[in-house]
Structures are given as structure tokens and as C-alpha cells.
Amino acid sequence: MTLLTPLQELRSEAARQGMLVAVACALVAFLLIAWNERRKVIATRLAAREALQEANNELERKIAERTADLRASNERLKAQIRERRLAEDTLRRAQDELVQAGKLAAIGQMSTSIAHELNQPLAALRTLSGNTIRFIERGALDTASTNLKTINELVDRMGRITASLRAFARRGDDKGQASLRKAVDAALQVLNGRLENFDLTLHEHFEDVALRIDQTRLEQILVNLVGNALDAMQAQPLPELWLEGEIADGRYRLYVRDNGHGIGPEARKHLFEPFFTTKPGEHGLGLGLTLSASLAAAAGGSLSAEHPSSGGTAFILSLPLLDTPAPPEAEPI
Ligand code: ADP
């Protein structure tokens, strides 16, 4: 027996269920796609974060490297500064020693003229004092008193000579101030023994300015320059020395010019080198110009030479004037 039932209902049921399954499948597929996309997004974000972290680490490493480099170069710089300071100190000490040695050598060289300088008044003192005793014994008190005054003046003069020599030998320092007039007078006084044998015409055209240099050091420079000029004019029948000054750029320029034998082109190259001398035997030490230039430089000035076409030599001593502000001290690091 065959039971025939209509399939309509079954087919529509099957179609409904088929639809439901299809929708469910589509939903699952959609969810899978969405999950996959999200996974990708998360993976990308993670990769980006890792890349960022990596870049950050790299940056930090580089910064650390640079900082270490900077620190190292800073240390090197500090060490170099320390070394330079040490070298400067050593140089300054050596320079001071050289200055002192040069001064003592100059005094040694001058000893003959010093002895001459002091012997003359000593001989005069001996005669004068002997005479004075006799005048007093005879009751000629007026003449005795005149003699005593002369004795007084002679003793004063000897005192001045030894004082200027003591000042020359004393150690000076880079600071301090000097009167140009006093320095020139003291230098001429030191060289007096030599000047006596010279028929020198001295032209002085400078002002009595206050200079930023130790008085003794300025005197020493002038003794060197004038002493050299006298040496150069030994064979000159009409020796002339010009001391001329001018103000330029807050400095005072003193020209010490002579009409001596001048300086040849070869010697000009070595003038300021230590121990360069053209003077024969014991006469030249070759330290005068070196020391003078270093004394001038230590005071913030300079010493240079010019060779006038008319002959002779001119040394230009340039020194800061006292009323110009001192150069700033180096900042401590
Ligand atoms: P020193 O006087 O002991 O030789 P310096 O350093 O003072 O040493 O001088 C070096 C040289 O410079 C001298 O030997 C001389 O040849 C030359 N000189 C310096 N001043 C003059 C001058 N005014 N005229 C000619 N030559 C000079």
C-alpha cells in the first residue's frame, strides 16, 4: 500500500532548513573572516609596537654611546686644560728663572761700570773727609760745613746707584704699574758709567705716562734697549738716541731709536731668539731682547724692531696704559 502525501510541505521545510544552514554557514564564515582580520590587525599592531620598541632601544643605545663619547671628550678636554695650565705654570716659572738669570748676568756684566761708578765718589769722600778734619782742627768751620754738604750729596748719589741696582736685581711681577719717566731715569742711571764715556745726544719726546707693568721690569727692558743702542753706536762719531712716545689704541708706544750700525738682514731674523748675539766674546749674552720681549708680552704688550732707511735701528716697546681696562682673567673651568 502506497501512501501518497503531498511533498509541498516537506520541500518548503527542507528549503527553510537549508536556508537556516546557509545563513549559519555564512555567519560562521563571516565570524571567521572577522576573527582573521582582527588577528591580522593585532599582529600588525604588535609588529609596529615591537618596531617602535626596537627603534627606541636603538635610540637609547645611540644616546648612551654619544653621552659616553661626550663624557670621554669632556674628560680629555679637562685633562688637556689641566696639562696646558701645568705647562703654562712651568713656562712661567722657567721664564721667571730666565729673567732672574738674565738680570744677574747683566749685573755681572755691569760690575766694572758699577765699581767705577762707586769708586769715584768713594775717592772723593776720602779726600773730602780728610780735608774736613783738617778744616775743623783749624777752625775753618764754614769750609768744613760746605765739605760735609758735598759728602752728603755724594753719599746720596751712591745710595741712589745701589738702590737702582737692587731694584733691577729684585724679582718683579706681571701686575703693577710704572711711571715711564721714572723708568727712563732709572735706566739712564744704571747705564751712567757707560754714558760718561759717550758724547751722546739724547732726544726725549715722550710723556710721563702710567703703564700697566711692574716698574722694575720696565726699567730692565729700557736698560737692555738703551744698552744695545750704546753698543751699536760705539763707532759712531756723533751718537744720537731718540726716545719718542705716542698713544695708539689704549697703548703707549715708545720708540727707542739710535743711529748705530743697524742690523743686517740675516741677524734681523734671529733678533728675538734666546742666546742670539753678534757681540764678541763675553760681551754678548743674547738674552736681552728675548727677556725684554717676554717681559713686555707678560704685561700684555709687545716689543718689535724697525730698520729705518736712514740707518740705525728702532725698537718699538708697546705697553698698555694704566687707565685702560685690564684684559679679563681666564674663566676657571
Ligand atoms: P746681546 O746684547 O747680549 O747680544 P740681545 O738679545 O740684547 O743680546 O741682542 C741680540 C743682538 O741683537 C745683538 O747681539 C745685536 O746684534 C742685535 N741688536 C740689538 N739691538 C741692536 C741695536 N740697537 N742696533 C744694532 N743691533 C742690535
Side-chain angles (χ1 to χ4, degrees):
M1 193 172 73
T2 307
L3 183 65
L4 293 172
T5 49
L7 289 173
Q8 192 77 28
E9 229 171 273
L10 272 175
R11 275 205 189 106
S12 62
E13 181 64 28
R16 220 174 21 251
Q17 286 194 2
M19 288 271 274
L20 270 175
V21 168
V23 167
C25 281
L27 199 66
V28 167
F30 176 75
L31 283 175
L32 275 174
I33 289 167
W35 176 76
N36 196 31
E37 284 304 311
R38 182 155 172 71
R39 199 180 54 82
K40 273 190 202 158
V41 167
I42 288 171
T44 317
R45 271 197 206 150
L46 269 177
R49 192 176 296 163
E50 265 169 26
L52 198 69
Q53 187 66 34
E54 185 74 7
N56 220 10
N57 288 347
E58 177 72 1
L59 202 67
E60 270 174 16
R61 198 176 50 74
K62 277 190 180 155
I63 289 173
E65 259 174 29
R66 289 271 159 83
T67 316
D69 278 356
L70 273 176
R71 199 167 290 139
S73 70
N74 208 15
E75 285 305 317
R76 271 201 303 279
L77 211 66
K78 276 189 187 158
Q80 277 172 6
I81 290 168
R82 269 197 301 277
E83 264 173 36
R84 203 202 59 200
R85 288 231 168 112
L86 223 71
E88 273 175 4
D89 281 352
T90 317
L91 199 71
R92 183 170 293 266
R93 269 201 302 278
Q95 198 185 45
D96 281 350
E97 293 303 320
L98 203 63
V99 167
Q100 196 58 15
K103 282 204 261 188
L104 297 180
I107 288 182
Q109 279 184 325
M110 287 188 299
S111 55
T112 327
S113 52
I114 296 168
H116 172 76
E117 245 338 85
L118 295 178
N119 267 339
Q120 267 187 338
L122 264 180
L125 279 177
R126 197 176 301 122
T127 319
L128 274 170
S129 52
N131 288 349
T132 312
I133 293 170
R134 254 166 263 138
F135 284 129
I136 291 175
E137 284 168 354
R138 281 186 218 151
L141 293 183
D142 278 356
T143 325
S145 153
T146 318
N147 274 5
L148 281 173
K149 269 192 204 124
T150 318
I151 288 175
N152 224 353
E153 280 163 17
L154 282 171
V155 170
D156 266 2
R157 188 173 134 70
M158 289 171 77
R160 277 204 305 279
I161 294 170
T162 48
S164 59
L165 285 170
R166 248 205 331 271
F168 184 74
R170 206 179 51 213
R171 282 173 192 270
D173 63 60
D174 286 346
K175 300 195 173 70
Q177 62 184 74
S179 139
L180 183 57
R181 180 72 261 173
K182 274 193 198 152
V184 169
D185 288 346
L188 295 176
Q189 173 83 37
V190 171
L191 294 165
N192 200 28
R194 297 184 58 194
L195 285 169
E196 267 182 5
N197 311 323
F198 242 83
D199 191 14
L200 179 73
T201 311
L202 181 62
H203 307 271
E204 292 189 346
H205 301 289
F206 62 86
E207 295 132 273
D208 181 16
V209 282
L211 299 169
R212 196 190 295 286
I213 185 172
D214 177 75
Q215 183 79 35
T216 319
R217 290 190 168 197
L218 178 58
E219 284 167 22
Q220 187 185 7
I221 297 175
L222 292 174
V223 168
N224 284 333
L225 296 182
V226 177
N228 278 343
L230 297 183
D231 285 338
M233 293 187 292
Q234 286 290 344
Q236 167 65 257
L238 293 171
E240 284 186 76
L241 182 69
W242 289 263
L243 298 176
E244 292 165 331
E246 66 177 18
I247 294 178
D249 306 329
R251 281 157 192 275
Y252 200 75
R253 268 196 220 152
L254 182 74
Y255 290 77
V256 181
R257 185 160 63 88
D258 61 62
N259 63 346
H261 55 57
I263 303 174
E266 191 46 42
R268 286 178 196 177
K269 294 185 211 155
H270 308 288
L271 274 188
F272 294 96
E273 288 172 13
F275 304 108
F276 170 77
T277 179
T278 57
K279 296 173 191 170
E282 292 291 293
H283 198 53
L285 266 183
L287 281 177
L289 288 179
T290 318
L291 292 177
S292 302
S294 61
L295 288 178
S302 63
L303 179 68
S304 57
E306 271 180 14
H307 312 282
S309 51
S310 53
T313 309
F315 281 91
I316 301 127
L317 176 64
S318 169
L319 288 170
L321 285 157
L322 191 68
D323 50 16
T324 54
E329 297 258 326
E331 284 285 318
I333 300 169

